[in-house]
Amino acid sequence: MTGVGRVAVIGGGPAGLYFAALAKQLAPQRDITVFERDAREDAFGFGVVFSDETLDGIAQADPQVFAAIGAEFARWTDIDVRYAGQVRTCGGHGFAALDRNRLRAILQRRCEQLAVDVRYRTPAPPAARLAADYDLVVAADGIHSATRAAYAGTFRPELDERSCRYIWLATDRVFEAFTFIVEQYDFGVLQVHAYPYSAERSTFIVEMAEDAWRRGGFEALAAREFARGESDTASVRRCAELLAGHLDGHRLIPNASRWIRFTTVRNATWRHRNVVLLGDAAHSAHFSIGSGTKLALEDALALAASLHEQPSLEEALESFEAARRPVVESAQRAAQASLEWFETVARRTGQGPDRFAFNLLTRSRRVTYGNLRARDPGFVDAVDTAFGSAPGVPPMFRPLKLGALELRNRVVVPPLATFTSPDALPSTFDRAQLTAHALGGAGLVLAGMTAVSPAGRATDHCPGLWNDRQEEAWRSLVRAVRTVSDTPLGIQLTHAGRRAASAVPGPDGIGRPLADGWPVHAASPLPWDTGSPRPHALNTTGLAEVVAAFAEAAERAARAGFDVLELQFGHGHLVSGFLSPLTNHRSDRYGGPLAHRLLLPLEVLAAVRAAWPAGRPLLVRISASDWAPGGTTGPEAVAICRALADGGADAVDVSTGEVVAHQRPPYGRGYQTPFAELIRGATGLPTVAVGAIAGHDDANSVLLAGRADLVAIGRAQLYDPLWTLHAAADQDYTGPGVSWPGPWAAGSRKPPGPGADRVAPRLDLLRAAAAPVHRRWPPDRAGDPLRTSPPDRPRRTEEDR
């Protein structure tokens, strides 16, 4: 056990109190003092929500606290989405909520029982003074932590203040479920996050984008200084008027309620010598994925446990952060996706109620198609039907028509470079890889990174398509694949620009410049990085040669028998370099505003469209974001894709990044998908979502939510070339959306694993009733402990279809 005798806790909220109680419980001899500036009876906030996982931890750590809070929980399983005058309900989720002030009172009482010294109406002394007087200082002083500010040089905080405005309220309307309200007004979209937390109250958070907030008149209402604890009552009245139809005659209840912006808090470290940050002082996660109190209580438990388990304070604080940081960062990634979804909710208000509800529920990427099907099959069947699928047909196995070509399913194998072509001809390995992927069940397979000229090769081991010998080699490859598979084949054409003349990437994925490489060309003479050669800026003659090379390669691809063509206009290759303001510094007609930066891409597209047969799909890959300040913006990406659509592109393959070396992408599952959704919604152009989509569950979620029309599965295909066939087997799908090769038909069912032949005996005398999918709050007034369906509203009506 850590030899920590004296502990100071800054902040008497739930996190500080819970830590103090647990730390005292584990070591009764400890002298623990909690400094709280407010009175014991002061009430702040409304409800807090807990997950089952958190509750399990509380039950194990302090059964007395768990019993006290468990007696007061509001519990339910449903989520209601109120949108476009209709309600969609999804069950099977499981929530437990409690009045924050009741939670605080329970923890105050527990600290009293354990002889923790809680000093109310006592602002904490400066952290430096406490650090000198105590063995450990726990800073649970909230999102505006003075302790974090005092040691900012060590903690290195990153405070990301977001754009939406929100106001935290309660209402005496007791909602029956976690309720999302999305309403369209003349000033914009307004959304509400509401949930019950007692038999008398619900939390009611009103949120809207900054521009809608201003147009709705709220800026004028909030245009004065409010005293501490004072509420913006004028805004509360305006919200009540706007949302009267959802309040059903009930009132909104403020408590120091005013408009604020959410700030995501991140710190490089949570500890400084004997000072440690806890809860919102260390990190925050947007309220749309759950309660900050939940994360803070988990912090408190982990810190108390580490102090108990580790032999020194330094090791205890290191162990605490090592255990908690991955959990918190995972929650923050989900919260970031969720808050960005709500910031841009207006993009989706053209969707029908079923698809919109599904899109909302899967916004954080933690809840997925398969997850929802396990929770509430009826809800997912309804959304499948709205999408045009028969119930039980996964969205990924719906057909799609591009140009005159119908794809049997929505899975694309993207261009996957093999770097096995020192002679610039497609290699034996290229042939084997494309054959395997064509047999693997995908709707479309693309050959990768094929240069349109010798100078356009990314590496000295990339294939090309600029001469007759290469054309014949590709024709031979296509014919060979056709003998075993009818999967449509495509090829990506590119000129690597300033990223050309590199060596094959090493284990770190980076291709460094060749010592004896060839001259490289770009929009402007800007090297990729300090170790790369300075490219030559192409003149008008050179640009015309590039356009002609793309057109000639397209003609060759058509003669070779490819069904689909993709043009690489992203990832920092030559054409991408003209689109991005970070890489195009030209002063002629090809540089400057976006309309000028689009000239070369549109010239290439026009030449290729004229050379490529009508009816055969033409795709374009772009980098929709450069992930660097001053780079391509979302509106610019939309404008680029509108121009591409007008120029004859049939679909856009929406990637991001690799435009500049100093990029900072927020890598994570599906992190590029929001750009595909943005472009699809704004332009109507079919999109391909690509990047960190590895499982069929994520693919189905992307498609059913309307975020993209196709999903590209890249690295997962390298792990499993039969990815699509195995996805069908995993989902028990045997329809026309996928076809097992005849010689492999016997393997179309997943082989049994260990113990598959064991049949479990029945060992229960009385079978427990299955948990209801739909559980509402509050419990039936007549005494039934569960209310399993809304009493006055059908879940779905025929008219809703």
Side-chain angles (χ1 to χ4, degrees), residues 116-302:
V116 173
D117 180 10
V118 183
R119 301 180 184 180
Y120 299 102
R121 299 183 186 273
T122 307
R129 189 189 309 168
L130 291 175
D133 294 342
Y134 289 83
D135 298 320
L136 173 65
V137 179
V138 179
D141 50 349
I143 203 162
H144 301 295
S145 170
T147 309
R148 183 182 66 227
Y151 296 113
T154 298
F155 294 128
R156 303 194 300 282
E158 177 188 324
L159 307 179
D160 180 15
E161 186 177 65
R162 305 302 299 184
S163 59
C164 279
R165 301 276 186 157
Y166 71 97
I167 187 168
W168 206 295
L169 303 162
T171 176
D172 55 0
R173 171 164 187 185
V174 181
F175 285 92
E176 299 179 357
F178 205 118
T179 303
F180 293 101
I181 301 168
V182 178
E183 288 284 5
Q184 179 81 54
Y185 297 95
D186 57 355
F187 57 81
V189 178
L190 178 153
Q191 61 249 24
V192 174
H193 312 248
Y195 56 86
Y197 62 84
S198 74
E200 295 82 31
R201 294 282 189 273
S202 298
T203 292
F204 197 88
I205 306 167
V206 183
E207 183 184 28
M208 66 190 84
E210 176 85 8
D211 57 349
W213 180 78
R214 293 179 187 276
R215 289 194 300 266
F218 291 102
E219 181 181 27
L221 298 176
R224 68 176 181 84
E225 290 293 322
F226 293 92
R228 186 170 187 268
E230 184 183 5
S231 294
D232 181 355
T233 54
S235 287
V236 176
R237 286 194 297 270
R238 170 85 165 131
C239 289
E241 292 167 2
L242 289 168
L243 294 161
H246 298 283
L247 291 170
D248 197 22
H250 293 79
R251 60 197 172 101
L252 291 180
I253 304 166
N255 183 343
S257 303
R258 66 196 71 164
W259 294 105
I260 54 178
R261 293 187 181 96
F262 185 82
T263 298
T264 299
V265 175
R266 300 179 180 89
N267 286 278
T269 182
W270 300 343
R271 58 194 193 276
H272 171 68
R273 298 176 182 163
N274 65 333
V275 178
V276 64
L277 302 177
L278 201 70
D280 282 350
H283 49 74
S284 63
H286 194 251
F287 52 81
S288 60
I289 70 157
S291 168
T293 302
K294 165 194 174 299
L295 287 174
L297 293 186
E298 292 172 356
D299 278 359
L301 189 154

Side-chain angles (χ1 to χ4, degrees), residues 340 528 569-572 576 579-582 621-638 640-641 653-660 662-667 671-676 678-679:
E340 289 176 0
W528 170 255
F569 285 7
H571 292 180
S576 170
L579 287 170
S580 172
L582 296 178
R621 173 172 280 200
I622 67 160
S623 288
S625 171
D626 299 338
W627 300 120
T632 301
T633 65
E636 285 180 325
V638 168
I640 289 168
C641 291
D653 186 351
V654 185
S655 188
T656 64
E658 297 189 48
V659 175
V660 291
H662 60 279
Q663 66 174 2
R664 292 188 62 192
Y667 294 117
Y671 73 103
Q672 297 179 147
T673 301
F675 294 95
L678 166 66
I679 290 163

Side-chain angles (χ1 to χ4, degrees), residues 499-577:
R499 302 195 67 185
S502 295
V504 172
D508 59 0
I510 297 174
R512 290 167 176 79
L514 291 168
D516 55 349
W518 52 91
V520 296
H521 302 91
S524 300
L526 304 171
W528 170 255
D529 58 21
T530 56
S532 298
R534 180 175 294 275
H536 302 283
L538 284 168
N539 58 24
T540 53
T541 301
L543 294 177
E545 290 173 352
V546 167
V547 172
F550 269 98
E552 181 184 347
E555 290 179 345
R556 291 183 181 279
R559 291 196 297 266
F562 284 104
D563 305 291
V564 177
L565 190 68
E566 178 171 275
L567 302 178
Q568 172 61 292
F569 285 7
H571 292 180
H573 284 216
L574 179 66
V575 180
S576 170

Side-chain angles (χ1 to χ4, degrees), residues 76-91 173-181 194 196 245-246 248 353-354 357 376 379 774-778 787-800:
W76 70 96
T77 66
D78 282 356
I79 296 175
D80 287 348
V81 179
R82 296 171 170 245
Y83 162 76
Q86 300 186 39
V87 181
R88 293 294 183 266
T89 298
C90 181
R173 171 164 187 185
V174 181
F175 285 92
E176 299 179 357
F178 205 118
T179 303
F180 293 101
I181 301 168
H246 298 283
D248 197 22
D354 295 288
D376 188 346
F379 170 80
H774 299 287
R775 179 177 176 180
R776 314 287 286 182
W777 178 263
R787 226 178 59 238
T788 58
S789 62
D792 55 356
R793 173 183 46 77
R795 180 179 172 277
R796 181 182 174 86
T797 66
E798 191 62 34
E799 289 74 21
D800 289 342

